[in-house]
Amino acid sequence: MRRRRGAFLLVAALLAACDPVAPQASGPSAESALALMFQNKYAAATSQLQDLIKAHPKDAKDHATYALVLNYQTKQKPALDEAVKAQKLAPNDGFVLTVLTRVEDWNDDIQGAARDGAAAIKAAPNSALARAFYAEALADVGRYAEAQTQLQKGADLAKKGTDYDRAEVERNWSNYYRDKKDYTQALNHLKLAAGAQPKWVERLLELARFSIARQDLPGATQYLQRAANLSPDDAGLREQLGDVALFAYDYDVAKRAYQAALKLQPRSALDLKVLGDIAVALDKDPTTAAKDERAAIAAQPTDQEAGAYLVAVLRYLVKDETAAGQAAKQTVAPSGSGTAPASTYVDLDKGSVDRQSVALDTVNRYRRLAGLAPVTGSAVIHRAALAHAFYTFFNGTLPSIRDLGIHKEESAGQGYTGDNVLTRAQHFGYPQRSMAEVITHRSEPAGAVGDWIDSVYHRIPLLRADLVEVGYGDAYLGPLTVQVMDMSYREVASGRIILYPAPNQTSVPVAFNGNEIPDPAPNASYPIGYPVTATFDRNARVGAFHLRDPSGADLPGISLQPGNETENSFAFLANVPLKPGTIYTADLTYTLNGKAGHLVWKFTTVLGASPTPQSQTAAGEQR
């Protein structure tokens, strides 16, 4: 059929400039697996590729194709693992480099994607897909003119290519216009992509995600319902539909999607545990939720997400601390185990405390960079932060917890412990102090802290000189994730000015991608330059600020003056990303309590794209 032939032409063309691979017998192949994916048979495509890799573990094409399929299933970490395996097997393969570019981009390594995209078009200059994926990375790093050139070349090549080629070129024109904040054109090109592949569910999911981002939830629901009709018998696809519906706050659609997935795979721990959360958020039924989580653990005895959610239901909703404590210590087996004997259960409460330790260590590493004293962790604030993390899961259907409302609780909400960060801490026995809170959605605590430090409004409370102690709590359940850090201050002025990036700091990131609420640069075309901040603990006014490159040229940008919104901090963001491996000079003229001051310092940006993030360091950092 045409779609199968199209998939074959795609891979065959890309492999023309590739490293040699061993010939295989006719039958199941990477090409036929892609054809299955385009027919919305994700489970069959995945199974076929797993069998191929088992039979031919050194075939780079199979690993790369598997990475691409995982990528579209939004399984980004496994996708990256497979793409890296493929690259190690065939480092100069055009198809491998093309897939690696896309997977790195969707894993938020946009600098790495731009680097490998350049290699991909060199290895496969006649590949429309290589041009499209490279253009995506270029737009995401702010190199718009180059992205436009690659998309134009990709469009010309796609005229003689496959439906997939044409759809991906249109999809990445949409990405280009979205990065440029031209949302009308972005939507038009997504619709053109869907027109090129009208029977592939991914194109409707893209439209649903776009609608969610534009806060058009009715539109998102419409696309989700259309997508559901395309493949009623693929469990993985149903889970994808459920995930997108959750992010659209459409718990009715999510419930139907996960129930359909569970019917297709009755012992799926993922489906059971997510349905447990839906039972609370949508149906306000903690009893069913507890049963679902226990069933998930029975299906997967090492599932700590299901175990932690069960503990939270018992602790915060059922309010049975004895049962919660027992569930925390006698429910989930350690990784690599089957059914655990009592002596080998994971202590889930200790696990949450251990994650606080990771978050605290990461905060203190950044504070050392800024020349600040370390802070301590509070067991009481930890309990408050953890309870609030699960509150956001329990009440996912409430409009009041969206955007900045995520910091608040309603007294009628499930698992309510206090209206705000201060009253929640007091609920657990903390004394009345000045407090602040930051929240993000990452996969682990160190990444969450990195998110906060690499922003503007979320960095400032972590780098205050009067910060005393913090508490950290998080929650994870399938596609849902939240990290909460609550901070307590002594509010004693020291007269210090906290600079970040700090003097002589190295490996400083080059860009800020704007994923912050509120948006410090609402009219900017992201990405822009990495934020430079100066935090004062008394009344201050910045008279002038300059960020200069090695030639002495001033970088134009956006300045935020000290005030209530910035917690008496100044911030500067260059209009475009900084250059890698470059020494910049910051020059700050200010008035502090009526007294004039002037500071000049230098910092160096990260050398370049790297498969693993480089640690930011500064002279004299303690280790």
Side-chain angles (χ1 to χ4, degrees), residues 327-414:
K329 292 178 172 59
Q330 299 180 22
T331 301
V332 176
S335 298
S337 303
T339 302
S343 61
T344 61
Y345 288 115
V346 173
D347 186 334
L348 297 170
D349 284 341
K350 181 179 181 299
S352 69
V353 172
D354 290 344
R355 291 194 299 278
Q356 166 162 283
S357 296
V358 173
L360 178 64
D361 288 346
T362 309
V363 167
N364 282 330
R365 181 170 68 82
Y366 285 112
R367 286 179 64 84
R368 285 194 297 271
L369 285 173
L372 290 165
V375 295
T376 58
S378 163
V380 176
I381 304 178
H382 162 69
R383 292 169 62 199
L386 185 63
H388 185 60
F390 280 102
Y391 175 92
T392 68
F393 280 14
F394 296 154
N395 298 280
T397 60
L398 289 180
S400 61
I401 68 165
R402 298 171 194 172
D403 298 330
L404 288 174
I406 198 170
H407 294 286
K408 300 177 181 178
E409 293 187 7
E410 295 181 3
S411 59
Q414 300 178 93

Side-chain angles (χ1 to χ4, degrees), residues 291-304:
K291 290 179 180 177
D292 285 341
E293 301 307 323
R294 291 189 188 279
I297 296 165
Q300 178 53 264
T302 61
D303 194 327
Q304 294 190 31

Side-chain angles (χ1 to χ4, degrees), residues 496-497 534-538 540 542 562 567-568 570 588 590 592:
R496 293 190 59 186
I497 302 170
T535 297
F536 306 87
D537 62 8
R538 289 180 289 181
V542 171
E567 297 186 49
N568 213 28
F570 170 81
L588 177 72
Y590 63 90
L592 181 60

Side-chain angles (χ1 to χ4, degrees), residues 59 373 435 462 502 586:
D59 191 305
M435 296 191 72
L462 290 169

Side-chain angles (χ1 to χ4, degrees), residues 194-210:
Q197 285 186 296
K199 295 183 179 180
W200 189 25
V201 71
E202 173 65 18
R203 301 306 172 200
L204 292 172
L205 292 177
E206 287 172 340
L207 284 162
R209 295 183 190 108
F210 180 87

Side-chain angles (χ1 to χ4, degrees), residues 151-328:
L151 286 168
Q152 289 167 344
K153 291 180 179 179
D156 288 339
L157 291 166
K159 291 175 182 177
K160 296 181 180 180
T162 66
D163 293 343
Y164 179 51
D165 288 336
R166 288 185 286 277
E168 277 299 327
V169 169
E170 295 296 347
R171 186 259 173 214
N172 287 300
W173 272 117
S174 173
N175 180 74
Y176 168 85
Y177 283 113
R178 185 171 62 248
D179 285 348
K180 298 278 286 183
K181 294 193 174 182
D182 186 341
Y183 298 113
T184 300
Q185 285 283 19
L187 178 59
N188 288 340
H189 282 280
L190 277 185
K191 290 179 177 178
L192 289 171
Q197 285 186 296
K199 295 183 179 180
W200 189 25
V201 71
E202 173 65 18
R203 301 306 172 200
L204 292 172
L205 292 177
E206 287 172 340
L207 284 162
R209 295 183 190 108
F210 180 87
S211 298
I212 293 168
R214 301 299 299 152
Q215 298 186 340
D216 177 12
L217 301 187
T221 297
Q222 179 187 17
Y223 289 124
L224 288 171
Q225 290 171 340
R226 286 173 56 189
N229 294 330
L230 287 178
S231 183
D233 58 354
D234 188 287
L237 178 54
R238 289 292 176 170
E239 290 168 347
Q240 285 191 69
L241 293 173
D243 292 356
V244 177
L246 287 174
F247 293 123
Y249 307 106
D250 194 332
Y251 278 68
D252 286 308
V253 171
K255 181 178 181 179
R256 291 195 296 271
Y258 272 101
Q259 285 177 333
L262 187 61
K263 287 181 180 179
L264 295 166
Q265 45 186 21
R267 285 182 54 80
S268 167
L270 172 63
D271 299 342
L272 286 162
K273 67 185 179 184
V274 174
L275 284 168
D277 178 63
I278 293 172
V280 173
L282 181 64
D283 303 322
K284 296 181 172 56
D285 185 355
T287 301
T288 295
K291 290 179 180 177
D292 285 341
E293 301 307 323
R294 291 189 188 279
I297 296 165
Q300 178 53 264
T302 61
D303 194 327
Q304 294 190 31
E305 291 184 355
Y309 193 87
L310 172 63
V311 171
V313 167
L314 296 172
R315 178 168 288 151
Y316 306 124
L317 301 183
V318 180
K319 300 188 184 302
D320 186 340
E321 182 56 38
T322 300
Q326 184 177 16

